[in-house]
Amino acid sequence: MSLPEQPAPDQAWHISASSLTVRYGRRIAVDGLDLTFGAGVHGLLGPNGAGKTTLMRVLATASPATGGSLRILGRPSGDRHHLRAVRRRLGYLPQRFGYYARFTVREFVEYVAWLKEMPAADIPGAAQRVIERVQLGDRAGHRMRTLSGGMVQRVGVAQALVNDPEVLLLDEPTVGLDPEQRVHLRALLRDVGAQTCVIVSTHLVEDIAAACSDVAIIDEGRVAFRGSVDQLAAAGSREDSGDSAVERGYTALLRQHRTRVVAAR
Amino acid sequence: MTAFRIELRRSSALLLAAATVVVGALLLWLLADEWTARWSGLAYLMRALLFALVPVALAAGAWQGGRDRRAGVTELFGTVARPYPQRLLPVALAMAAGVLVAYAALLAGGSVQVAPYASYAGGQWPVVVAVGAVALVAAAWLGMAVGRWVPSVLTPPTLLVFSFLGQMLSRLDNGVLLPVLATPSDLATVAPEFLAAQGVWFGGLAAAALLLVASATVWARALAAAVALAAAGVSSAVAPATAFVVSTDGATLVCADGEPRVCAPRIHAAVLPALTEPAREALRTLAPIPNAPTRVVATDLGWAPVAPQRTTDVLVVDLRFRLNATGRFEAAPAGLRTILLKGAGTQSCPDPAWGFERDVAADQAATGWVTGRPAGPATDEYGRLGERTLSELKALPRPEQLARLAAYRTAKVRCDRDPLTALTTGAPR
């Protein structure tokens, strides 16, 4: 049932994509991306509609790529034979996190753990741990419908973490969180990222600066920049718009990328 | 187990169970006269309840089936390891458990009104109820499949109304594909082949519905449709034309000790202790009439296959509408004597050839003769006609009176000529 212990050929990278393309009809949402991700917290930054969510969905095996190749945990993503084993090792918080309102927090997290085919004996303990990790220990017995937006979002993070995933995909995880909760989530992500490949999609530049070891900027389905947060901060100058060095770097890199794209045409 | 335990509490299973118990208990209470004191009566009423319970199960299932789309979890749950059919199994089982426990609770509640009084435990009533339980599970799962396709808040009420109307418009006389099974008589039992055919149909429908709920591909749906069609085809082909046959066990006459004989069907043997003495007294009262009855048989005159042969030898007591919740006669001994002596121990025989009024008037006169009481209320036309007939009859010499009554009894039993004329002219024997 589980994957063999010896590493698959591309095990060095948790995720490796080359010429990855996703089309919806005539529209190209992801346009020939070459990206690799290993352990650590990786930020996926870009304007709205840049293709971030499409990329996250493909990485989460929610929808298929239409071109190029993608290996997740060493396995080709189109490989149905290994899909189930790969999915056991994924954690995913979609942009629109749906949940059963009648379930309690604990029931929902345990239910997702069951869906991820965790051994039944491990489920109660694992659920309790992640619920405490997102600071909802005192709400574990409350119905989901009674929670505030920020609490629901934290349950979303908890369900993604419950199976100790090797790849953790969080699409806009800080939406609805108050400043204190955001600070806590960033710390949690840094902690998880020590052994896990965490990919955080966001349009909030300050999240990236605080939580991520490196950044990919996506624009119109292409990689506009890939590098460390320090490189991102250093890319901007006083003339670029933004309230922080990272924001100025982001606008500068985006502008340079667009200039290159226009020139290439 | 994790998921089943959660789904039992959080799915619509509890709602379905509660609605089933409430609706079912209300109907059991409202229809108490129809079933108490007999296991088969309770069993067929449990099947009659499906008229309301199947729509409830469909609606609850549809609400449950729409949960994933309403909650917006398809994106997240589309990326988990566990395959879709496995994910659906716990909730489908929880819904089945909910409806089965509720149905069993109704049966248990009903048995409180049966167990202390039933004189006869035979028959296949547990199978009758079991087939109904399978039909309920099939309805809940079918509702889930529909709710999954059409996850609108309007789906459950629409299913509720249309399944209700559908049953009303369908042939109500016990079609093999219908959940409701209505017995024509206490003395009838459903043909075993008919019950088996229904088992095949509802079992097949439940399997098809479960397949449909868990289906992820067009092929799975086609397979589900094929299973349902095959079950319907097989069951329609093997089902006998008439659903009900005479219950050889339940309809067998059992008689009280001693002579003259007073007998009742085994299923109604509980009436005998109270019936025997008034019945023998009635036979003694009628004895002077030349063709007086010599024994009493209680039966259900509402169903032709069990109607006793019409003969002057037998005084027939119709049990319909005369029993109380304990399976005994509602009437006190005095009232029972009145029932037995009515029409000098005959059943009514209205016929367009002579009319309802003349039958009633003759009845009242004959009743008056044997009981020694006035023929009937003199306030209406029949009453006055009956009273006049009675006084004319009493004016005759006693042997002629008895001969007239014998002619009347013969006419009533044969039901071939006007009983009032027989009573007033005494013509042919």
Side-chain angles (χ1 to χ4, degrees), chain B residues 88-155:
Chain B
L88 256 292
L89 204 57
V91 66
L93 291 179
M95 293 295 280
V99 79
L100 286 177
V101 166
Y103 201 56
L106 289 173
L107 183 66
S111 66
V112 170
Q113 270 302 314
V114 174
Y117 313 115
S119 53
Y120 167 67
Q124 52 195 346
W125 69 267
V127 186
V128 172
V129 178
V131 170
V134 174
L136 269 183
V137 171
W141 287 348
L142 204 58
M144 285 178 71
V146 176
R148 194 186 142 204
W149 281 338
V150 193
S152 157
V153 291
L154 294 178
T155 306

Coordinates of all heavy atoms in Angstrom, one line a residue, chain B residues 88-155:
Chain B
L88 N -18.3 7.2 0.7 CA -19.7 7.3 0.7 C -20.3 6.1 1.6 O -21.4 6.2 2.1 CB -20.3 7.2 -0.7 CG -20.8 8.4 -1.2 CD1 -22.1 8.9 -0.5 CD2 -19.8 9.6 -1.1
L89 N -19.5 5.1 1.8 CA -20.1 3.9 2.5 C -20.5 4.2 3.9 O -21.6 3.9 4.3 CB -19.0 2.8 2.5 CG -19.6 1.4 2.6 CD1 -20.7 1.1 1.5 CD2 -18.5 0.3 2.6
P90 N -19.7 4.9 4.7 CA -20.2 5.2 6.1 C -21.5 5.9 6.2 O -22.3 5.6 7.0 CB -19.0 6.0 6.7 CG -17.8 5.6 5.9 CD -18.3 5.4 4.5
V91 N -21.6 7.0 5.4 CA -22.8 7.8 5.5 C -24.0 7.0 4.9 O -25.1 7.1 5.5 CB -22.7 9.1 4.7 CG1 -22.5 9.0 3.3 CG2 -23.8 10.0 5.1
A92 N -23.8 6.2 3.9 CA -24.9 5.3 3.4 C -25.3 4.3 4.5 O -26.5 4.1 4.7 CB -24.5 4.6 2.1
L93 N -24.4 3.7 5.2 CA -24.7 2.8 6.2 C -25.4 3.5 7.4 O -26.3 3.0 8.0 CB -23.4 2.1 6.7 CG -22.8 1.1 5.7 CD1 -21.6 0.4 6.2 CD2 -23.8 0.0 5.3
A94 N -24.9 4.7 7.7 CA -25.5 5.5 8.8 C -27.0 5.8 8.5 O -27.8 5.6 9.4 CB -24.7 6.7 9.1
M95 N -27.3 6.2 7.3 CA -28.6 6.4 6.9 C -29.5 5.2 7.0 O -30.6 5.2 7.5 CB -28.7 7.0 5.4 CG -28.1 8.4 5.3 SD -29.0 9.7 6.2 CE -30.3 10.0 5.0
A96 N -28.9 4.1 6.5 CA -29.7 2.8 6.6 C -29.9 2.4 8.0 O -31.0 2.0 8.4 CB -28.9 1.7 5.9
A97 N -28.9 2.6 8.9 CA -29.0 2.3 10.3 C -30.1 3.1 10.9 O -31.0 2.6 11.7 CB -27.7 2.4 11.0
G98 N -30.1 4.4 10.6 CA -31.1 5.3 11.1 C -32.5 4.9 10.8 O -33.4 4.8 11.7
V99 N -32.8 4.6 9.6 CA -34.1 4.3 9.1 C -34.5 2.9 9.7 O -35.7 2.6 10.0 CB -34.3 4.4 7.6 CG1 -33.7 3.2 6.9 CG2 -35.7 4.6 7.2
L100 N -33.6 2.0 9.7 CA -33.9 0.6 10.2 C -34.2 0.6 11.7 O -35.1 0.0 12.2 CB -32.7 -0.3 9.9 CG -32.6 -0.8 8.5 CD1 -31.4 -1.6 8.3 CD2 -33.8 -1.5 8.0
V101 N -33.4 1.4 12.5 CA -33.7 1.4 13.9 C -35.0 2.1 14.2 O -35.8 1.6 15.0 CB -32.5 2.2 14.6 CG1 -32.9 2.6 16.0 CG2 -31.2 1.4 14.6
A102 N -35.4 3.1 13.4 CA -36.6 3.8 13.6 C -37.8 2.8 13.3 O -38.8 2.7 14.0 CB -36.7 5.0 12.7
Y103 N -37.6 2.1 12.2 CA -38.7 1.1 11.7 C -38.9 0.0 12.8 O -40.0 -0.4 13.1 CB -38.3 0.6 10.4 CG -39.5 0.0 9.6 CD1 -40.6 0.8 9.2 CD2 -39.5 -1.3 9.1 CE1 -41.6 0.3 8.5 CE2 -40.5 -1.8 8.3 CZ -41.6 -1.0 8.0 OH -42.6 -1.5 7.3
A104 N -37.7 -0.4 13.3 CA -37.8 -1.5 14.3 C -38.4 -0.9 15.6 O -39.2 -1.7 16.3 CB -36.4 -2.0 14.6
A105 N -38.2 0.3 15.9 CA -38.8 0.9 17.1 C -40.3 1.0 16.9 O -41.1 0.8 17.9 CB -38.2 2.3 17.3
L106 N -40.8 1.3 15.7 CA -42.2 1.4 15.4 C -42.8 0.0 15.6 O -43.9 -0.2 16.2 CB -42.5 1.9 14.0 CG -42.2 3.3 13.8 CD1 -42.3 3.6 12.3 CD2 -43.2 4.2 14.6
L107 N -42.1 -1.0 15.1 CA -42.6 -2.4 15.2 C -42.6 -2.8 16.7 O -43.6 -3.4 17.2 CB -41.6 -3.4 14.5 CG -42.0 -4.8 14.5 CD1 -43.3 -5.0 13.7 CD2 -40.9 -5.7 13.9
A108 N -41.6 -2.4 17.5 CA -41.5 -2.7 18.9 C -42.7 -2.0 19.6 O -43.4 -2.6 20.5 CB -40.2 -2.3 19.5
G109 N -42.9 -0.8 19.3 CA -44.0 0.0 19.9 C -45.3 -0.6 19.6 O -46.2 -0.8 20.4
G110 N -45.5 -1.1 18.3 CA -46.8 -1.7 17.9 C -47.0 -3.0 18.6 O -48.1 -3.4 19.0
S111 N -45.9 -3.7 18.8 CA -46.0 -5.1 19.4 C -46.6 -5.0 20.8 O -47.1 -6.0 21.3 CB -44.7 -5.9 19.3 OG -43.8 -5.2 20.2
V112 N -46.4 -3.9 21.5 CA -47.0 -3.7 22.8 C -48.5 -3.9 22.8 O -49.1 -4.4 23.7 CB -46.6 -2.3 23.4 CG1 -47.4 -2.0 24.7 CG2 -45.1 -2.3 23.6
Q113 N -49.1 -3.5 21.6 CA -50.5 -3.6 21.5 C -50.9 -4.9 20.9 O -52.1 -5.2 20.7 CB -51.0 -2.5 20.6 CG -51.4 -1.2 21.3 CD -52.5 -1.5 22.3 OE1 -53.5 -2.1 22.1 NE2 -52.3 -0.9 23.5
V114 N -49.9 -5.8 20.6 CA -50.3 -7.1 20.0 C -49.9 -8.2 20.9 O -50.8 -9.1 21.2 CB -49.5 -7.2 18.7 CG1 -49.7 -8.6 18.1 CG2 -50.0 -6.2 17.6
A115 N -48.7 -8.2 21.4 CA -48.2 -9.4 22.2 C -49.2 -9.9 23.3 O -49.4 -11.1 23.4 CB -46.8 -9.1 22.7
P116 N -49.7 -9.0 24.1 CA -50.6 -9.5 25.2 C -51.9 -10.1 24.7 O -52.5 -10.9 25.5 CB -50.9 -8.2 26.0 CG -50.0 -7.2 25.5 CD -49.7 -7.5 24.1
Y117 N -52.3 -9.8 23.5 CA -53.6 -10.2 23.1 C -53.7 -11.2 21.9 O -54.7 -11.9 21.7 CB -54.5 -9.0 22.7 CG -54.4 -7.8 23.6 CD1 -53.8 -6.6 23.3 CD2 -54.8 -8.0 24.9 CE1 -53.6 -5.6 24.2 CE2 -54.7 -6.9 25.8 CZ -54.1 -5.8 25.5 OH -54.0 -4.7 26.3
A118 N -52.6 -11.3 21.2 CA -52.6 -12.1 20.0 C -52.7 -13.6 20.4 O -52.0 -14.1 21.3 CB -51.3 -11.9 19.2
S119 N -53.7 -14.3 19.7 CA -53.9 -15.6 20.1 C -53.1 -16.5 19.1 O -53.1 -17.7 19.2 CB -55.4 -16.0 20.0 OG -55.9 -15.6 18.7
Y120 N -52.5 -15.9 18.1 CA -52.0 -16.7 17.0 C -50.7 -16.0 16.5 O -50.7 -14.8 16.1 CB -53.0 -16.7 15.9 CG -52.5 -17.2 14.6 CD1 -52.1 -18.6 14.4 CD2 -52.5 -16.4 13.5 CE1 -51.7 -19.0 13.2 CE2 -52.0 -16.9 12.3 CZ -51.6 -18.2 12.1 OH -51.2 -18.6 10.9
A121 N -49.6 -16.7 16.6 CA -48.3 -16.1 16.3 C -47.8 -16.6 14.9 O -46.7 -16.2 14.5 CB -47.3 -16.4 17.3
G122 N -48.6 -17.4 14.3 CA -48.1 -18.0 13.0 C -48.1 -17.0 11.9 O -48.3 -15.8 12.1
G123 N -47.7 -17.6 10.7 CA -47.7 -16.7 9.6 C -46.4 -16.2 9.3 O -45.4 -16.4 10.0
Q124 N -46.2 -15.4 8.2 CA -44.9 -15.0 7.7 C -44.7 -13.5 8.0 O -44.1 -12.8 7.3 CB -44.8 -15.3 6.3 CG -46.0 -14.7 5.5 CD -46.0 -15.3 4.1 OE1 -45.1 -15.9 3.6 NE2 -47.1 -15.1 3.4
W125 N -45.4 -13.0 9.1 CA -45.4 -11.5 9.2 C -44.0 -10.9 9.4 O -43.8 -9.8 8.9 CB -46.3 -11.1 10.4 CG -45.8 -11.5 11.8 CD1 -46.2 -12.7 12.4 CD2 -45.0 -10.8 12.6 NE1 -45.5 -12.7 13.6 CE2 -44.8 -11.6 13.8 CE3 -44.3 -9.6 12.5 CZ2 -44.0 -11.2 14.8 CZ3 -43.5 -9.2 13.5 CH2 -43.3 -10.0 14.7
P126 N -43.0 -11.6 10.0 CA -41.7 -11.0 10.1 C -41.1 -10.7 8.7 O -40.4 -9.7 8.5 CB -40.9 -12.0 10.8 CG -41.8 -12.8 11.6 CD -43.0 -12.9 10.7
V127 N -41.4 -11.6 7.7 CA -40.9 -11.4 6.4 C -41.6 -10.2 5.7 O -40.9 -9.4 5.0 CB -41.0 -12.7 5.5 CG1 -40.4 -12.5 4.2 CG2 -40.5 -13.9 6.3
V128 N -42.9 -10.1 6.0 CA -43.6 -8.9 5.4 C -43.0 -7.6 5.9 O -42.7 -6.7 5.1 CB -45.1 -9.0 5.9 CG1 -45.8 -7.7 5.5 CG2 -45.8 -10.2 5.3
V129 N -42.6 -7.5 7.2 CA -42.0 -6.3 7.7 C -40.6 -6.2 7.2 O -40.2 -5.0 6.8 CB -42.0 -6.4 9.3 CG1 -41.3 -5.1 9.8 CG2 -43.4 -6.5 9.8
A130 N -39.9 -7.3 7.1 CA -38.5 -7.2 6.6 C -38.4 -6.6 5.2 O -37.5 -5.8 4.9 CB -37.8 -8.6 6.7
V131 N -39.3 -7.1 4.4 CA -39.3 -6.6 3.0 C -39.6 -5.0 3.0 O -39.0 -4.3 2.2 CB -40.3 -7.3 2.1 CG1 -40.5 -6.6 0.8 CG2 -39.9 -8.8 1.9
G132 N -40.5 -4.6 3.9 CA -40.7 -3.2 4.0 C -39.5 -2.4 4.5 O -39.2 -1.3 4.0
A133 N -38.7 -3.0 5.4 CA -37.5 -2.4 5.8 C -36.5 -2.2 4.7 O -35.8 -1.2 4.6 CB -36.9 -3.2 7.0
V134 N -36.4 -3.2 3.8 CA -35.5 -3.1 2.7 C -36.0 -2.0 1.8 O -35.1 -1.2 1.2 CB -35.4 -4.5 1.9 CG1 -34.6 -4.4 0.7 CG2 -34.8 -5.6 2.8
A135 N -37.3 -1.9 1.6 CA -37.8 -0.8 0.7 C -37.4 0.5 1.3 O -37.1 1.5 0.5 CB -39.3 -1.0 0.6
L136 N -37.5 0.7 2.6 CA -37.1 2.0 3.2 C -35.7 2.3 3.0 O -35.3 3.5 2.7 CB -37.4 1.9 4.7 CG -38.8 2.4 5.2 CD1 -38.8 2.3 6.7 CD2 -39.0 3.8 4.7
V137 N -34.8 1.3 3.2 CA -33.3 1.5 2.9 C -33.1 1.9 1.5 O -32.4 2.9 1.2 CB -32.5 0.3 3.3 CG1 -31.1 0.4 2.8 CG2 -32.6 0.0 4.8
A138 N -33.8 1.2 0.6 CA -33.7 1.6 -0.9 C -34.1 3.0 -1.1 O -33.5 3.7 -1.9 CB -34.5 0.6 -1.7
A139 N -35.2 3.4 -0.4 CA -35.7 4.8 -0.6 C -34.7 5.8 -0.1 O -34.4 6.8 -0.8 CB -37.0 5.0 0.1
A140 N -34.1 5.6 1.0 CA -33.1 6.5 1.6 C -31.9 6.6 0.7 O -31.4 7.7 0.4 CB -32.6 6.0 3.0
W141 N -31.4 5.5 0.1 CA -30.2 5.5 -0.7 C -30.6 6.2 -2.1 O -29.8 6.9 -2.7 CB -29.7 4.1 -0.9 CG -29.0 3.6 0.3 CD1 -28.6 4.4 1.4 CD2 -28.5 2.3 0.6 NE1 -28.0 3.6 2.3 CE2 -27.9 2.3 1.9 CE3 -28.6 1.1 -0.1 CZ2 -27.4 1.1 2.5 CZ3 -28.1 -0.1 0.5 CH2 -27.5 0.0 1.7
L142 N -31.8 5.9 -2.6 CA -32.2 6.5 -3.9 C -32.3 8.0 -3.7 O -31.8 8.7 -4.6 CB -33.6 5.9 -4.3 CG -33.9 5.9 -5.7 CD1 -32.9 5.2 -6.5 CD2 -35.3 5.3 -5.9
G143 N -32.8 8.4 -2.5 CA -32.8 9.8 -2.3 C -31.4 10.4 -2.3 O -31.2 11.5 -2.8
M144 N -30.5 9.7 -1.7 CA -29.1 10.2 -1.6 C -28.5 10.4 -3.1 O -27.8 11.4 -3.4 CB -28.2 9.2 -0.9 CG -28.4 9.3 0.6 SD -27.3 8.1 1.5 CE -25.7 8.8 1.3
A145 N -28.8 9.4 -3.9 CA -28.3 9.5 -5.3 C -28.9 10.7 -6.0 O -28.2 11.4 -6.7 CB -28.7 8.2 -6.0
V146 N -30.2 10.9 -5.8 CA -30.9 12.1 -6.5 C -30.3 13.4 -5.9 O -30.0 14.3 -6.6 CB -32.4 12.0 -6.3 CG1 -33.1 13.2 -6.9 CG2 -33.0 10.7 -6.9
G147 N -30.2 13.4 -4.6 CA -29.6 14.6 -3.9 C -28.2 14.9 -4.4 O -27.8 16.1 -4.5
R148 N -27.5 13.9 -4.7 CA -26.1 14.1 -5.2 C -26.1 14.8 -6.6 O -25.3 15.6 -6.9 CB -25.4 12.8 -5.2 CG -23.9 13.0 -5.4 CD -23.2 11.6 -5.5 NE -22.2 11.7 -6.5 CZ -21.7 10.7 -7.2 NH1 -22.2 9.5 -7.0 NH2 -20.7 10.9 -8.0
W149 N -27.1 14.3 -7.4 CA -27.2 14.9 -8.8 C -27.7 16.3 -8.7 O -27.3 17.1 -9.5 CB -28.1 14.0 -9.6 CG -27.5 12.8 -10.2 CD1 -26.2 12.5 -10.4 CD2 -28.2 11.6 -10.6 NE1 -26.1 11.3 -10.9 CE2 -27.3 10.7 -11.0 CE3 -29.6 11.3 -10.7 CZ2 -27.6 9.5 -11.5 CZ3 -29.9 10.1 -11.2 CH2 -29.0 9.2 -11.6
V150 N -28.8 16.5 -7.9 CA -29.5 17.8 -7.9 C -29.4 18.3 -6.5 O -30.3 18.1 -5.7 CB -30.9 17.6 -8.3 CG1 -31.5 19.0 -8.6 CG2 -31.1 16.7 -9.6
P151 N -28.3 18.9 -6.1 CA -28.1 19.3 -4.7 C -28.8 20.6 -4.4 O -28.2 21.5 -3.7 CB -26.5 19.4 -4.6 CG -26.1 19.8 -6.0 CD -27.1 19.2 -6.9
S152 N -30.0 20.7 -4.7 CA -30.8 21.9 -4.5 C -31.6 21.8 -3.2 O -31.9 20.6 -2.8 CB -31.7 22.2 -5.6 OG -32.8 23.0 -5.2
V153 N -31.8 22.9 -2.5 CA -32.7 22.8 -1.3 C -34.1 22.4 -1.7 O -34.9 21.9 -0.8 CB -32.7 24.1 -0.5 CG1 -31.4 24.4 0.1 CG2 -33.1 25.2 -1.4
L154 N -34.4 22.5 -3.0 CA -35.8 22.1 -3.4 C -35.9 20.6 -3.7 O -37.0 20.1 -3.8 CB -36.2 22.9 -4.7 CG -36.3 24.4 -4.5 CD1 -36.6 25.1 -5.8 CD2 -37.4 24.7 -3.5
T155 N -34.8 20.0 -3.8 CA -34.9 18.5 -4.1 C -35.6 17.7 -3.1 O -36.5 17.0 -3.5 CB -33.5 18.0 -4.3 OG1 -32.8 18.8 -5.3 CG2 -33.5 16.5 -4.8

